[in-house]
Amino acid sequence: MKRLISLLAVIGLAGITFAAKAPTHHSLRAEAMGNAHVALVDDKEAIYFNYAGLSQINRLGNYEKRPEQGYYPRNFIGDMRLNLGGAGPFESYFSTFNDVKNLQAMYQRASNAAVVACNDPFQVCQSSMNVLMDTLNSHPELINTLNSYDHKRLDMRIKMDAEMAFHGFGGAVWVDGQIAPYLDGGLILPYMAIDTFYVDAVVQAGIAYGFTDNFSVGLGGKIAKRQKVEAITMDVMNYNSLQDTLEDRYHDATDHIFDFNSVSIGMDIGALYQLTREFRVGLSVRDIYFKELAGDKFMPNVSAGFNYSPRFFNKNTGYARKFNFAMDYADAISDENNYKPLSHVNFGLEVEQNILAWPGYNNEIRALALRVSGGFKGGYPTAGIALEVLRFFTFELATWAEEQGYYTGQDEERVYMAEISLGF
């Protein structure tokens, strides 16, 4: 155990000089409960948070094989899932729509005033832009209309996953993409720009081995590729060349998509220890990449945490119930965006309840289950809900926030994501 901890510490310290965000898989179950998952990992999420948790699939919580540990097994054999999810800032969509209407009306009034002036022989004919500037000089309160339109980000995300996890083994192929166009009123001309556009594709797999009934370790490898496009700006002055601009950026993003020289290889290490039937602790070092990815270097993510699943809240009948409370100290050696210690603390809880089952079959025929979660991630609240039908179809909603500034509370980016999952 001491040797393992020493190895994790050395690997973690080796990455202190690195600084960039590694490819990140967004698990809606984990995000909904504050992303505190290093010690929970009782299903396929072990692939992303702590490979040691693969040793618990079809074991931890199996009432026949391990009755002292309380709640029901999530699946009879393992987890095999296909997931498709997307996200967008709905609040910004609505506010931006109103701002665009107001700004459009202001420019239209300036254009109408210019037309009237040019048709009147007793007035000096001037362009609509000059009229607008004169109007802003005469009515500085209109600057607020432009300011409300300034740098309106419209972050959009998409995720696609294919996952497979059994006792002691798991793997996944997943894609995470983000595009963040923004609108700006501009000093003279309004314009649109894109300051974030990337697609990460990752293939990963790993194993877990239990040295004892209570202690297990996990090891996994991954191959990752990142494709990104530099910022572009579009306004009415280059409107005629807009199509050429977009085509050029499209080729930038696709011409080298199969260039494997830009592929990076990484690894993850984890450990899990069951202290009691209700309490376990976990430690993981993830995103240990051996090569730059699209010019980015990554600092390993060193995280530790615990999970508490009180037996008196859990129920093992056909109408089973599961309760988890987890807390992590995440990304411990990174201070790129959050220099305060509490910004690394993630915690949350979840309650999963069977609301339609076949009594007498010890929960193996589960027709309908509901999961409700909540927590805090990096100082921001999280929440989520999931509905599972016949153990095959799952619909999930989750919201969390990511800090775009240097300290928690400076520049919140709220994410709302929905996901549909198919599989067993």
Side-chain angles (χ1 to χ4, degrees), residues 38-74:
V38 172
L40 202 162
V41 286
D42 59 0
D43 65 356
K44 60 184 176 58
E45 308 306 335
I47 299 170
Y48 311 110
F49 290 92
N50 187 348
Y51 275 112
L54 293 171
S55 65
Q56 306 193 77
I57 294 179
N58 199 33
R59 182 168 183 247
L60 174 65
N62 188 310
Y63 192 75
E64 293 181 355
K65 296 181 180 180
R66 225 167 152 81
E68 74 278 6
Q69 288 189 327
Y71 56 76
Y72 62 87
R74 290 190 56 79

Side-chain angles (χ1 to χ4, degrees), residues 86-266:
F90 299 107
E91 296 170 342
S92 297
Y93 289 156
F94 293 122
S95 64
T96 300
F97 177 74
N98 292 328
D99 290 338
V100 169
K101 287 176 57 180
N102 293 335
L103 190 65
Q104 183 181 27
M106 187 173 70
Y107 275 91
Q108 187 61 50
R109 288 195 298 269
S111 178
N112 293 338
V115 171
V116 171
C118 290
N119 291 332
D120 189 339
F122 298 100
Q123 296 190 42
V124 178
C125 181
Q126 53 183 331
S127 68
S128 59
M129 188 58 63
N130 290 333
V131 172
L132 177 62
M133 297 304 295
D134 290 343
T135 302
L136 293 177
N137 289 331
S138 304
H139 301 279
E141 69 275 7
L142 294 178
I143 294 295
N144 293 330
T145 303
L146 283 174
N147 288 340
S148 65
Y149 187 58
D150 182 58
H151 210 92
K152 281 282 188 177
R153 287 172 57 95
L154 299 173
D155 296 273
M156 293 166 281
R157 306 183 182 204
I158 188 170
K159 67 186 294 281
M160 294 179 288
D161 321 318
E163 306 162 327
M164 178 180 65
F166 302 98
H167 178 78
F169 172 79
V173 179
W174 54 273
V175 174
D176 173 63
Q178 180 179 1
I179 182 170
Y182 68 87
L183 305 173
D184 205 307
L187 182 61
I188 297 178
L189 291 176
Y191 64 89
M192 184 186 80
I194 297 176
D195 64 359
T196 302
F197 176 40
Y198 75 86
V199 177
D200 289 332
V202 179
V203 179
Q204 63 181 104
I207 59 174
Y209 180 77
F211 288 95
T212 68
D213 286 342
N214 296 323
F215 176 66
S216 61
V217 297
L219 175 66
K222 60 178 67 174
I223 300 174
K225 181 175 177 62
R226 169 169 289 178
Q227 197 70 40
K228 60 183 181 180
V229 174
E230 301 301 327
I232 59 175
T233 301
M234 295 163 283
D235 57 43
V236 295
M237 300 300 292
N238 66 353
Y239 180 80
N240 292 331
S241 61
L242 177 59
Q243 182 176 353
D244 294 336
T245 301
L246 293 178
E247 287 182 354
D248 289 342
R249 295 303 180 266
Y250 171 78
H251 288 299
D252 289 342
T254 59
D255 285 351
H256 303 290
I257 194 168
F258 295 109
D259 179 8
F260 291 98
N261 291 326
S262 60
V263 169
S264 183
I265 298 176

Side-chain angles (χ1 to χ4, degrees), residues 371-392:
R371 184 176 69 244
V372 179
S373 312
F376 282 84
K377 175 185 176 182
Y380 291 111
T382 66
I385 187 171
L387 188 66
E388 180 191 77
V389 181
L390 296 174
R391 289 198 169 194
F392 179 78

